[in-house]
Amino acid sequence: MDDEQKSRQELIEELARLRRRMVELEAAEAKSREAEAALRESNERGRAIAQAAVDAIISVNVEDKIIFWNRAASEMFGYTEDEILGKPVTALIPPRYRAAHSAGVRRFRETRKPVLIGRTAELLGLRKGGIEFPLELSLSTWTARGETYFTGIIRDISDRKEAERALAERTEELESLVQTVAHDLKSPVVGIAGLVRLLKKSVSELPPEEKRDEILEQLLTTSSNMEDFLKDLLDGLRPDPVEPSREPVCLREAAEQVVSLYRSRIGERGFEFKVLCETVIPPVQADKHRIAQALDNLVGNAVKHMGNRPDPTIAIELRDNSDSVLVLVSDNGVGIPPQYWKRVFDRFFRIKKSNLDGGSGLGLSIVKRIIEGHGGRIWVESEEGKGATFCFTIPKGAAPTASLHEQ
Ligand SMILES: Nc1ncnc2c1ncn2[C@@H]1O[C@H](COP(=O)(O)OP(=O)(O)OP(=O)(O)O)[C@@H](O)[C@H]1O
Ligand SMILES: [Mg+2]
């Protein structure tokens, strides 16, 4: 082979090599295009999933700037994607928590120890326009090209929190109802026990039949009051509560009844009970049992907070006051200092916490509710050391009665 032939052969071989290389390169390029398309497809799929999610999905870079924001995030926080991308995530955090948030991000950058990652936390978010709302956040972190990113999945839990609040309120109402019931059943139960003791004593001492009849009559009244109270209570506990009863009530009769029960129970301890009224008192439209309950509580208080008087006297006075009847329950006991005149009506408030009378401080709050439920007012006047007078009004006409269960 001469030189010319040799170089021609080499040229042909070089060309063939180049062609092979070109085919290889074309195949590689096709592969890379495919990979790029697959990557784009996967990105789009991820984005579509994120966009369709009901929870807000937000990603931030290490500078705490928002780099991804889905549709649910727009709905939840009120910013469009264009408005929020590139903005610091603190725009979504109430101002008072921003410093703590920034400290957390700084700590993560320095220590790489995440506090929130992998947990769900309940926090407060800030909508565009400055309205705060409770949210639940699950946070994850990821790294790409040496950079760290965070992605939060956020759920608006306003409805759940509202339901929890309503449940807590209902539980509190029920607790208060149970306390009220226990409190108001105590007095008639104590009354019945007292009357039975009296009856037992009078049977052994063979007193006149008249006295026994009177005691039996009172036993009957007290237990039937209790029965009515339980009936009202059960009515009120039904989902569609029956309207509290309204009937003409003679306050004088109600006062006489309460006073006569106390006379039987503790008259022999030297207590004097009086019912005073100068004029005829017209009937009021009211709930008879609730009114009796209020009077019973006030007279019970006068007895309980009498102190050591040689002449303990308790009076219920009734006055006709054009539109309403004014009732004054007074005693000559220890009295109430002026700074407590309002507070004695608060639930669980007692002036002397250490006395051993077993009071729970609920009675006057119940009385206040009953009176105000009838559209009346209640207050106390007192001269310390000389006694107290509890005054209340009951309008003569029908006024809305708050049931025992409405607080
Ligand atoms: N007639 C009164 N004289 C002096 N202090 C009174 C009188 N009535 C009420 N108080 C004071 O007001 C407080 C609140 O009264 P309230 O009836 O609410 O509770 P309580 O009598 O202590 O307990 P409960 O009625 O629940 O058994 C009493 O603890 C007492 O200190
Ligand atoms: Mg009381």
Side-chain angles (χ1 to χ4, degrees):
M1 204 190 288
D2 60 15
D3 279 356
E4 197 182 325
Q5 264 179 327
K6 204 174 160 196
S7 71
R8 205 165 153 238
Q9 185 59 35
E10 276 174 6
L11 217 63
I12 290 166
E13 275 168 19
E14 183 62 23
L15 246 164
R17 218 161 34 82
L18 277 175
R19 205 169 288 140
R20 272 199 311 276
R21 185 82 191 113
M22 232 169 85
V23 171
E24 271 172 24
L25 277 174
E26 270 169 13
E29 204 193 316
K31 227 180 192 169
S32 136
R33 262 200 307 271
E34 242 170 59
E36 227 173 73
L39 189 65
R40 220 177 8 251
E41 201 180 290
S42 141
N43 265 348
E44 269 160 26
R45 205 180 308 130
R47 214 182 143 75
I49 293 171
Q51 287 299 1
V54 277
D55 290 331
I57 301 177
I58 300 170
S59 297
V60 299
N61 62 15
V62 80
E63 281 153 17
D64 223 17
K65 301 250 169 73
I66 298 170
I67 56 153
F68 178 80
W69 178 263
N70 71 347
R71 210 170 295 141
S74 288
E75 277 161 25
M76 198 177 289
F77 289 94
Y79 295 100
T80 63
E81 203 175 350
D82 287 347
E83 274 177 313
I84 201 76
L85 286 187
K87 299 271 166 20
V89 78
T90 44
L92 313 176
I93 299 172
R96 62 188 183 286
Y97 300 123
R98 286 179 189 163
H101 166 84
S102 304
V105 173
R106 217 175 309 122
R107 191 182 45 236
F108 177 77
R109 263 200 232 125
E110 285 159 11
T111 64
R112 296 271 135 189
K113 277 198 193 122
V115 176
L116 273 180
I117 310 290
R119 291 199 297 123
T120 349
E122 283 188 10
L123 304 166
L124 281 176
L126 187 69
R127 293 190 219 276
K128 186 179 179 180
I131 295 170
E132 292 184 11
F133 69 102
L135 59 81
E136 194 176 74
L137 167 75
S138 340
L139 200 61
S140 61
T141 178
W142 43 281
T143 310
R145 278 166 303 189
E147 294 278 358
T148 303
Y149 297 87
F150 300 94
T151 292
I153 299 181
I154 296 165
R155 183 164 292 183
D156 184 339
I157 53 170
S158 306
D159 290 348
R160 194 177 82 197
K161 286 280 161 198
E162 176 53 29
E164 280 171 11
R165 195 199 54 72
L167 187 69
E169 205 173 85
R170 185 79 189 117
T171 309
E172 206 175 291
E173 266 171 26
L174 284 174
E175 272 171 12
S176 140
L177 174 68
V178 170
Q179 283 160 355
T180 304
V181 170
H183 181 276
D184 286 350
L185 280 181
K186 204 167 89 186
S187 176
V189 170
V190 168
I192 290 173
L195 289 166
V196 171
R197 267 194 297 276
L198 257 176
L199 196 63
K200 201 172 151 209
K201 200 166 130 203
S202 60
V203 165
S204 65
E205 287 167 9
L206 291 174
E209 217 149 85
E210 213 180 283
K211 176 75 184 159
R212 272 201 312 246
D213 283 350
E214 192 192 317
I215 294 172
L216 283 170
E217 198 51 49
Q218 285 176 347
L219 257 174
L220 211 64
T221 312
T222 313
S223 36
S224 83
N225 277 349
M226 222 162 106
E227 204 180 318
D228 288 341
F229 172 72
L230 287 172
K231 200 176 135 293
D232 287 357
L233 179 70
L234 291 174
D235 281 347
L237 283 177
R238 290 206 182 99
D240 186 12
V242 174
E243 263 296 292
S245 71
R246 280 284 176 217
E247 55 188 319
V249 174
C250 171
L251 290 176
R252 184 184 183 146
E253 233 170 65
E256 299 275 12
Q257 238 181 36
V258 170
V259 155
S260 87
L261 275 170
Y262 275 94
R263 244 184 230 131
S264 311
R265 264 193 248 162
I266 55 165
E268 82 269 22
R269 271 163 50 189
F271 275 80
E272 192 184 340
F273 294 93
K274 295 188 264 197
V275 175
L276 312 163
C277 48
E278 282 182 354
T279 53
V280 175
I281 302 297
V284 290
Q285 287 293 325
D287 183 325
K288 199 170 85 191
H289 300 301
R290 297 281 101 85
I291 295 288
Q293 196 184 340
L295 285 171
D296 182 89
N297 262 300
L298 293 176
V299 175
N301 272 354
V303 170
K304 192 154 77 175
H305 307 291
M306 180 58 76
N308 295 318
R309 295 276 144 207
D311 56 344
T313 307
I314 294 160
I316 303 183
E317 191 184 338
L318 302 143
R319 290 187 202 159
D320 188 352
N321 238 7
S322 70
D323 288 348
S324 60
V325 174
L326 173 66
V327 183
L328 309 157
V329 181
S330 54
D331 62 69
N332 58 348
V334 293
I336 298 172
Q339 67 267 33
Y340 299 128
W341 288 359
K342 275 209 159 62
R343 291 185 66 198
V344 285
F345 296 100
D346 290 348
R347 278 157 57 85
F348 304 116
F349 181 81
R350 295 188 299 147
I351 296 173
K352 275 198 200 135
K353 311 282 177 221
S354 58
N355 57 3
L356 298 170
D357 58 34
S360 52
L362 272 173
L364 286 177
S365 68
I366 296 170
V367 175
K368 186 168 189 266
R369 207 163 71 229
I370 294 172
I371 302 306
E372 289 179 351
H374 279 81
R377 262 181 358 99
I378 182 161
W379 68 98
V380 64
E381 290 167 2
S382 170
E383 207 177 320
E384 223 182 320
K386 294 201 173 161
T389 302
F390 281 85
C391 319
F392 68 84
T393 57
I394 298 286
K396 288 178 188 164
T401 304
S403 87
L404 184 66
H405 321 295
E406 288 163 18
Q407 291 278 324

